[in-house]
């Protein structure tokens, strides 16, 4: 599913983010930046040790990456040019600023990608695995935040949400339709 947002395109695909041919792949990392399970593990496995070396250097120079922020590294053996590592919130019921933190993770990632000159950016569904954020709620935050950012940015870019399973893809399709039909976010 593809939707035009100003000059830009927002797309939903089902797949493995490590196989995407885009300028920037976003990783749902944790604050330690030392790798982990889920999409983080897959990116480091496929990308090879160069990504972890970059993460370690960032840790040494700047410390951990707090939730809602994002850092950029090389992409090792991945087809992308860079990986943006962002840290989403751990779901604690929704009353602890989770949606603001998730929106910030998307915006900061887009900013790092823009600074690197990226035209195409792939996101996983941040926080909806080990971090426990309900997929439908996370999808709404993700889609509204990215759509609003693309409108404000004004340059031509493509953002792809890469959903790992059919259910996540279905939920994102439904939310994207609602956001598009409900007018501009
Ligand atoms: P978090 O800790 O932010 O919740 P996870 O990696 O546990 O991150 O999960 C985030 C989402 O990424 C989940 O929907 C999970 O199914 C999905 N995912 C896992 N592996 C991949 C992959 N290789 N490509 C795209 N999405 C993936």
């Amino acid at each position: 599913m593809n939707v035009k947002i100003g000059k830009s395109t927002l797309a939903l695909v089902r797949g493995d983010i490590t196989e995407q041919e885009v300028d920037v792949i976003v990783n749902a990392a944790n604050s330690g930046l030392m790798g982990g399970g889920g999409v983080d593990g897959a990116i480091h496995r496929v990308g090879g040790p160069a990504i972890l070396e970059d993460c370690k250097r960032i840790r040494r120079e700047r410390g951990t990456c707090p939730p809602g922020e994002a850092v950029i590294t090389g992409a090792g053996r991945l087809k992308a040019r860079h990986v943006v590592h962002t840290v989403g919130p751990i779901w604690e019921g929704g009353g602890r600023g989770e949606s603001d933190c998730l929106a910030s993770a998307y915006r900061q990632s887009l900013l790092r990608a823009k600074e690197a000159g990226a035209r195409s950016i792939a996101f996983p569904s941040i926080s909806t695995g080990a971090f426990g954020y309900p997929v439908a709620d996370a999808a709404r935050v993700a889609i509204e935040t990215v759509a609003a950012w693309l409108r404000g940015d004004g340059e031509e870019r493509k953002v792809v949400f890469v959903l790992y399973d059919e259910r996540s893809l279905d939920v994102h399709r439904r939310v994207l339709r609602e956001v598009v039909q409900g007018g501009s976010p």
Side-chain angles (χ1 to χ4, degrees), residues 34-106:
M34 289 296 132
V39 72
D40 197 3
I43 285 171
H44 282 287
R45 206 159 42 242
V46 179
I51 301 176
L52 191 59
E53 286 310 311
D54 285 355
C55 287
K56 285 182 179 162
R57 183 179 42 75
I58 290 169
R59 268 294 296 263
R60 276 197 305 276
E61 291 171 359
R62 292 187 252 166
T64 58
C65 181
E69 296 195 11
V71 299
I72 191 163
T73 69
R77 295 192 293 259
L78 292 167
K79 289 170 190 154
R81 288 198 282 121
H82 298 280
V83 175
V84 165
H85 306 261
T86 191
V87 183
I90 296 173
W91 179 257
E92 292 183 79
R96 294 186 169 245
E98 289 96 326
S99 61
D100 286 347
C101 182
L102 186 61
S104 170
Y106 279 96

Side-chain angles (χ1 to χ4, degrees), residues 15-17 28 37-40 42 124-131 162 164-165:
D16 181 338
I17 201 164
V39 72
D40 197 3
S125 178
I126 298 165
S127 283
T128 63
F131 283 4
V162 183
Y164 203 46
D165 56 273

Side-chain angles (χ1 to χ4, degrees), residues 87-166:
V87 183
I90 296 173
W91 179 257
E92 292 183 79
R96 294 186 169 245
E98 289 96 326
S99 61
D100 286 347
C101 182
L102 186 61
S104 170
Y106 279 96
R107 278 193 299 268
Q108 289 297 310
S109 296
L110 289 162
L111 214 50
R112 293 294 93 73
K114 179 184 167 95
E115 287 162 1
R119 292 278 160 196
S120 53
I121 304 150
F123 277 99
S125 178
I126 298 165
S127 283
T128 63
F131 283 4
Y133 208 120
V135 178
D137 297 334
R140 180 163 290 278
V141 173
I143 288 168
E144 287 185 349
T145 302
V146 170
W149 191 90
L150 288 173
R151 280 186 213 286
D153 177 44
E155 287 179 49
E156 190 178 335
R157 294 185 213 278
K158 180 168 189 183
V159 172
V160 187
F161 287 99
V162 183
L163 291 321
Y164 203 46
D165 56 273
E166 196 61 40

